[in-house]
Amino acid sequence: MEIKKFGAIIFDSKTSPTSGWASFGDNGAPIQFIDQTELPSDVLWWSDCPYEAYHEHGRFSSNIRPSSYLSVTPKEIMAEWDINEKNIDPEACARVCGTVFNHAMRIVRGILKLTCPDRDAGSYFSEPTLAADLAGILPPFDYPQGDALEILKPNVAYSNISHTTVPWGPSLETIAVRRPRLDHAIRLLGSPAPVGPFEHVRGADLPPLPDLIHLDRPVLAEIVVHRADPRYAPIFGWNVSGSRGVKVQRSWATHPELAALATFADIEIRSAYIGSAYNHLSSQLPDVVRSLVAEGSGSLSWSAGVAVDTLWRSATVGKSIKSGTKYRRAHTTWQGAWLKAYDKVEMFRLAMALHQSGFRVANYGNGQVRCYMPKERYLELFLTAFQLGMVPAIVEVTQPVSPALLRQRIWGGDTETRSLAWKILTREAGDLWMMNRYPIASREDRAAMVEKVKAC
């Protein structure tokens, strides 16, 4: 069955998900339910149930997904749409999550119909994550084989989140600022992507480090970092794991990280995988995605940002690879490892700028930087982040930022998303809510939306 309706479920209990509230469609009236079987079966439901509880609890209907289905969680949505988690109204949360999920999925469904016309529409949303559902939109990706399967893993060849060694201070809050998702996705999709096959080369047969860094072919290097500049190393967090469990000694760096590390550290190269060439994923984007990215007013749509953000993440999705007579897990593609590295390097640059402005950076990755902060400095952080092209969740902006203050600062992100940042910092959530459905609105409605936003 082709799914055309989308909604969200907020369970009363995350550990024992049975009853709760649900909402689907555009501002759909919340529905209270005692058991999941009461909910319409022709709706794809995104729930706030964590992945672990989702699988431990028992069987769910096949049209219900865990909170990890999107790259953003319901908790983050609440913060980004000004719902304080300490005063959660489950009805309001169901309506907000259901509406924005509906908008995002209608955008994605439209992209799939135009880019995958031969694909069975009933299989559009059958994977555990939306990123996996979108994997067919971009060209086929290269998965590691043989020994490289054990190298292209989290905390071995890349980091999903980079942790700093900045100490936690007393009486500090943790707050995140992030690039608008559309900005960040466009930046990453425009970065060079590796093309295989990859050849393993021993250290004695490799060119000197400067030549290796400037090689026009992709490089995954086995390295030892001997000395690093203390001005940068604590923020880069090369070998810092966020895991409280098993610690893995990191020894491999993709080309982008290798180039960044070499600017402030002494590096010994032991071996490397060298690929065939570079290309750009952005040059292979379908026309419908190009239109979505190029539509300036669409940058005000939170749901459009999530849709395009999910597109680059689709290049990072792993799968089982047959190796001999057994199957082994490929944690990501070669292209995915590079995208994660570009994410790290880009966010390191922004994290360093915040660090040099006197903020304590805790960690960064996936388009955001998290800081340890006293609440008295929030406004200072917001204005500094604005100049770097980043914004907080609107729930953190307890008092609207003065337009006069913002006019004194130059927005550091893409021109198209300046209005989004302005609306967040001045707490004009009503305009953002109206513009969220922009990509799925009619041409006439779009024109009216733009005029209304201009008039505000």
Side-chain angles (χ1 to χ4, degrees):
M1 179 179 70
E2 181 180 358
I3 295 178
K4 300 180 180 180
K5 300 176 184 177
F6 308 94
I9 295 171
I10 304 299
F11 283 111
D12 293 329
S13 169
K14 309 296 183 293
T15 55
S16 181
T18 51
S19 61
W21 290 86
S23 173
F24 69 94
D26 198 346
N27 284 305
I31 306 166
Q32 189 172 23
F33 63 93
I34 303 301
D35 185 83
Q36 57 171 305
T37 56
E38 298 175 47
L39 299 173
S41 62
D42 62 343
V43 178
L44 182 68
W45 297 103
W46 176 52
S47 78
D48 65 344
C49 179
Y51 181 85
E52 295 77 13
Y54 178 85
H55 287 281
E56 289 174 4
H57 175 72
R59 293 190 180 276
F60 278 83
S61 298
S62 60
N63 60 325
I64 297 178
R65 300 289 181 271
S67 59
S68 55
Y69 183 67
L70 295 185
S71 59
V72 58
T73 66
K75 181 178 178 180
E76 290 174 309
I77 285 182
M78 287 187 280
E80 293 182 25
W81 285 104
D82 203 22
I83 299 176
N84 192 322
E85 65 171 318
K86 295 178 181 177
N87 301 300
I88 292 177
D89 176 350
E91 295 179 65
C93 189
R95 187 191 293 271
V96 169
C97 291
T99 300
V100 296
F101 181 64
N102 172 56
H103 292 169
M105 295 304 291
R106 286 177 62 190
I107 292 169
V108 169
R109 181 175 171 272
I111 292 172
L112 285 169
K113 289 187 79 69
L114 289 172
T115 58
C116 306
D118 298 329
R119 184 170 165 183
D120 176 18
S123 69
Y124 281 173
F125 308 115
S126 57
E127 296 289 342
T129 65
L130 181 58
D133 282 324
L134 286 179
I137 290 180
L138 292 174
F141 303 119
D142 298 323
Y143 283 89
Q145 302 286 340
D147 292 341
L149 274 167
E150 295 304 313
I151 296 170
L152 283 192
K153 295 168 64 175
N155 301 318
V156 177
Y158 62 86
S159 299
N160 290 315
I161 299 293
S162 296
H163 295 266
T164 75
T165 58
V166 174
W168 175 274
S171 304
L172 297 181
E173 304 289 332
T174 306
I175 181 173
V177 288
R178 68 170 308 114
R179 264 186 178 162
R181 289 183 178 86
L182 201 63
D183 276 12
H184 195 57
I186 292 170
R187 196 78 56 99
L188 294 188
L189 288 169
S191 62
V195 177
F198 282 78
E199 175 190 7
H200 188 224
V201 182
R202 298 293 177 185
D205 299 321
L206 289 168
L209 177 61
D211 294 342
L212 195 65
I213 288 172
H214 292 98
L215 197 66
D216 59 359
R217 296 161 62 194
V219 175
L220 173 64
E222 183 184 14
I223 68 172
V224 177
V225 178
H226 289 287
R227 286 170 297 276
D229 190 325
R231 292 175 297 175
Y232 306 99
I235 304 301
F236 197 83
W238 159 249
N239 199 29
V240 181
S241 172
S243 171
R244 295 183 180 180
V246 177
K247 302 292 185 180
V248 179
Q249 187 76 13
R250 189 170 177 196
S251 57
W252 291 86
T254 54
H255 214 160
E257 279 193 274
L258 180 65
L261 265 172
T263 62
F264 63 86
D266 294 336
I267 298 173
E268 173 192 349
I269 306 289
R270 292 191 169 176
S271 70
Y273 282 89
I274 299 181
S276 301
Y278 274 116
N279 64 16
H280 287 78
L281 293 176
S282 59
S283 65
Q284 303 169 68
L285 290 178
D287 289 342
V288 62
V289 178
R290 290 176 183 273
S291 298
L292 178 63
V293 168
E295 176 56 76
S297 298
S299 63
L300 279 170
S301 169
W302 180 96
S303 292
V306 168
V308 181
D309 175 78
T310 306
L311 188 60
W312 78 261
R313 292 171 190 265
S314 72
T316 71
V317 174
K319 72 174 184 178
S320 293
I321 299 288
K322 192 170 185 178
S323 180
T325 59
K326 298 181 179 179
Y327 281 89
R328 297 163 69 187
R329 178 68 177 170
H331 290 264
T332 189
T333 64
W334 284 101
Q335 291 83 358
W338 256 248
L339 285 167
K340 289 171 183 286
Y342 284 118
D343 171 70
K344 177 187 174 75
V345 171
E346 278 289 301
M347 299 319 296
F348 167 65
R349 178 180 64 81
L350 297 173
M352 272 302 304
L354 289 174
H355 173 69
Q356 290 168 345
S357 296
F359 301 103
R360 297 189 185 192
V361 175
N363 56 58
Y364 55 92
N366 292 325
Q368 74 173 13
V369 179
R370 191 174 293 276
C371 298
Y372 302 133
M373 291 284 302
K375 286 193 173 182
E376 308 84 74
R377 294 191 67 195
Y378 274 20
L379 176 58
E380 183 185 350
L381 174 66
F382 298 161
L383 293 174
T384 304
F386 183 84
Q387 291 181 288
L388 295 171
M390 295 188 290
V391 291
I394 195 170
V395 76
E396 303 289 5
V397 188
T398 54
Q399 295 294 326
V401 177
S402 162
L405 274 177
L406 288 178
R407 291 190 189 98
Q408 296 172 16
R409 312 283 174 132
I410 297 175
W411 167 242
D414 292 351
T415 303
E416 291 77 10
T417 50
R418 180 180 179 276
S419 295
L420 175 69
W422 188 282
K423 297 293 182 183
I424 289 171
L425 291 175
T426 56
R427 289 186 56 81
E428 297 178 70
D431 286 347
L432 293 176
W433 189 251
M434 175 189 67
M435 288 298 296
N436 189 62
R437 63 184 301 274
Y438 181 90
I440 58 175
S442 67
R443 183 173 298 180
E444 294 76 15
D445 286 347
R446 285 185 177 190
M449 288 178 184
V450 173
E451 287 304 312
K452 186 172 182 180
V453 171
K454 284 181 179 178
C456 295

